[in-house]
């Protein structure tokens, strides 16, 4: 593959240069975040703060620092009108919407932060939406963000693992870029990430087994039954407990990632957040030939009623998601 880099990829992308520029500043912010991640305890960013975020979760110093870095660096992109983050209760306005419209950036600045202290891969997830038609000439409101995932124009993540990689879609396939630690350049290392339709690998937190809905229990039980069971093949299980790491594995070699609804909080759709975790990952997965299902329909079609609403997430290899979808159908448990 001829080596190119993110800057060249974005300059050639058939999209509004203002959209490309937002991806560029996100990449720049992630280089800064990467520096703090890599310094670990030798830097100033480790440890928990005494605070909680809007989700009621203990904030790690790196959560807040990463959020501040994203706000400061991404605001430089001229087409960016407002931002929303897992770490902020409401939106962060940046500028008025131009007559030709603009863009909204949503992100989880540091996903998997409970893994920071144990040196396990973590990541940044981002999603870019258009400003609504009627927003021209005015400031953005929180309601302007409440768009279904199908409206996304770009999405991606950066995984801070053994390598630092960005996986990105602008709506025409999925590309991967690896950060060269020697010169800080994002070198394109894949031009067409695709997810195999079939798999032998699933990812779910099996500590929650007794809380799952019946269709999920059936699916997992059949995987565990292996070659002697109805699937006729053995499966492997993985659970990093860092969505970016688990989804990156699915993007790289196939598989199924599940954080489904469970009985622990029956009125909550799931643990993960729709706008800046499930939707960007679902966009990437669909663009790579996979599928993403929320127990009722496609993740990307889920109605959006709140900025921090949660979602049931089942995504990955298309044949497996089709099976999960069938098991969730009204007669799904008897077929
Ligand atoms: P559990 C990390 O806190 C996160 O939001 C996702 O990155 C990850 O997939 C999930 O929660 C892990 O949750 O309940 O297994 O610790």
């Amino acid at each position: 593959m001829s080596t190119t880099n993110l800057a060249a990829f974005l300059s050639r992308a058939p999209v509004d240069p203002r959209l490309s520029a937002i991806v560029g500043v996100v990449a720049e912010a992630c280089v800064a975040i990467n520096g703090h991640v890599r310094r670990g305890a030798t830097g100033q960013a480790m440890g928990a703060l005494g605070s909680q975020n809007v989700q009621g979760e203990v904030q790690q110093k790196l959560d807040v620092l990463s959020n501040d870095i994203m706000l400061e660096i991404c605001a430089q992109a001229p087409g960016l009108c407002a931002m929303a983050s897992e770490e902020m209760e409401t939106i962060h306005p940046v500028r008025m919407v131009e007559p030709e419209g603009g863009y909204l950036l949503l992100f989880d600045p540091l996903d998997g932060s409970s893994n920071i202290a144990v040196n396990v891969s973590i990541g940044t997830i981002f999603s870019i939406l258009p400003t609504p038609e009627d927003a021209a000439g005015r400031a953005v409101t929180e309601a302007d963000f409440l768009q279904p995932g199908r409206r996304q124009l770009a999405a991606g993540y950066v995984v801070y693992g053994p390598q630092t990689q960005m996986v990105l879609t602008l709506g025409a396939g999925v590309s991967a870029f690896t950060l060269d630690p020697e010169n800080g350049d994002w070198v394109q290392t894949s031009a067409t990430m695709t997810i195999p339709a079939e798999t032998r690998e699933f990812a779910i937190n099996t500590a929650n087994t007794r809380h799952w809905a019946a269709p999920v229990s059936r699916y997992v039980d059949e995987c565990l039954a292996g070659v002697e069971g109805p699937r006729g093949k053995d499966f492997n299980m993985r659970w990093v407990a860092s969505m970016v790491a688990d989804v990156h594995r699915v993007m790289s070699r196939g598989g199924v990632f599940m954080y489904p609804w469970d009985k622990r909080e029956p009125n909550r759709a799931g643990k993960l957040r729709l706008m800046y975790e499930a939707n960007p990952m679902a966009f990437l997965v669909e663009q790579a030939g996979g599928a993403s299902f929320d127990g009722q329909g496609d993740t990307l079609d889920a109605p959006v009623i709140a900025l921090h609403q949660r979602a049931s997430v089942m995504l990955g290899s298309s044949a497996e998601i089709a099976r999960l979808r069938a098991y969730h159908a009204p007669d799904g448990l008897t077929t």
Side-chain angles (χ1 to χ4, degrees):
M1 180 182 73
S2 65
T3 57
T4 183
N5 64 12
L6 180 62
F9 174 84
L10 293 174
S11 69
R12 292 195 299 263
V15 298
D16 178 352
R18 297 181 303 154
L19 176 64
S20 299
I22 294 170
V23 176
V25 293
V26 169
E28 185 186 334
C30 290
V31 170
I33 294 169
N34 179 66
H36 290 290
V37 169
R38 302 270 166 228
R39 276 194 285 278
T42 66
Q44 305 303 316
M46 294 296 281
L49 296 167
S51 53
Q52 289 190 342
N53 64 14
V54 65
Q55 328 286 342
E57 294 167 339
V58 173
Q59 284 183 306
Q60 302 293 321
K61 287 180 187 173
L62 208 47
D63 282 322
V64 174
L65 179 58
S66 301
N67 194 65
D68 292 346
I69 289 169
M70 288 290 283
L71 294 178
E72 180 186 349
I73 293 180
C74 295
Q76 297 167 33
L80 183 54
C81 301
M83 295 183 251
S85 162
E86 179 192 72
E87 299 301 329
M88 301 187 302
E89 185 142 7
T90 189
I91 66 169
H92 178 87
V94 177
R95 55 178 57 82
M96 300 285 276
V97 181
E98 298 289 336
E100 68 268 27
Y103 300 97
L104 307 174
L105 175 65
L106 304 94
F107 50 83
D108 179 357
L110 205 76
D111 175 69
S113 52
S114 59
N115 282 321
I116 296 170
V118 294
N119 198 20
V120 167
S121 298
I122 48 185
T124 299
I125 310 170
F126 63 93
S127 167
I128 301 175
L129 288 166
T131 53
E133 296 284 317
D134 67 356
R138 65 169 172 80
V140 170
T141 65
E142 184 169 310
D144 292 330
F145 279 78
L146 306 186
Q147 303 178 43
R150 200 68 72 189
R151 294 262 302 156
Q152 291 174 101
L153 298 172
Y157 59 79
V158 173
V159 52
Y160 310 107
Q163 308 111 44
T164 295
Q165 286 191 296
M166 174 183 279
V167 172
L168 169 70
T169 184
L170 300 177
V174 180
S175 295
F177 303 85
T178 300
L179 183 65
D180 182 337
E182 301 295 318
N183 60 19
D185 195 16
W186 292 95
V187 178
Q188 185 171 26
T189 42
S190 174
T192 54
M193 287 189 89
T194 52
I195 299 176
E198 309 284 343
T199 185
R200 290 171 179 265
E201 204 161 59
F202 69 96
I204 193 167
N205 182 341
T206 49
N208 301 326
T209 297
R210 66 188 186 281
H211 305 304
W212 295 333
V216 172
S217 297
R218 175 181 175 184
Y219 178 82
V220 174
D221 288 347
E222 290 180 351
C223 289
L224 296 175
V227 68
E228 296 88 22
R231 300 301 305 272
K233 61 183 180 180
D234 290 337
F235 280 74
N236 212 353
M237 197 207 84
R238 289 284 184 276
W239 189 249
V240 182
S242 185
M243 185 186 197
V244 173
D246 281 313
V247 173
H248 186 66
R249 186 188 55 254
V250 170
M251 293 295 293
S252 303
R253 67 187 190 206
V256 176
F257 169 84
M258 294 176 278
Y259 213 115
W261 171 93
D262 69 46
K263 302 171 189 138
R264 287 176 294 175
E265 292 195 51
N267 297 324
R268 195 175 82 163
K271 172 177 184 180
L272 303 179
R273 294 80 174 178
L274 178 63
M275 297 301 289
Y276 37 80
E277 289 176 335
N279 271 342
M281 292 308 200
F283 189 19
L284 285 163
V285 164
E286 281 202 5
Q287 284 289 313
S292 183
F293 176 61
D294 68 2
Q296 283 151 346
D298 289 353
T299 300
L300 294 180
D301 295 328
V304 181
I305 55 174
L307 190 59
H308 297 294
Q309 81 183 56
R310 297 182 187 256
S312 171
V313 180
M314 293 168 268
L315 61 78
S317 293
S318 56
E320 298 303 312
I321 303 305
R323 179 181 292 267
L324 276 159
R325 197 186 292 269
Y327 291 176
H328 280 77
D331 60 348
L333 295 180
T334 55
T335 51

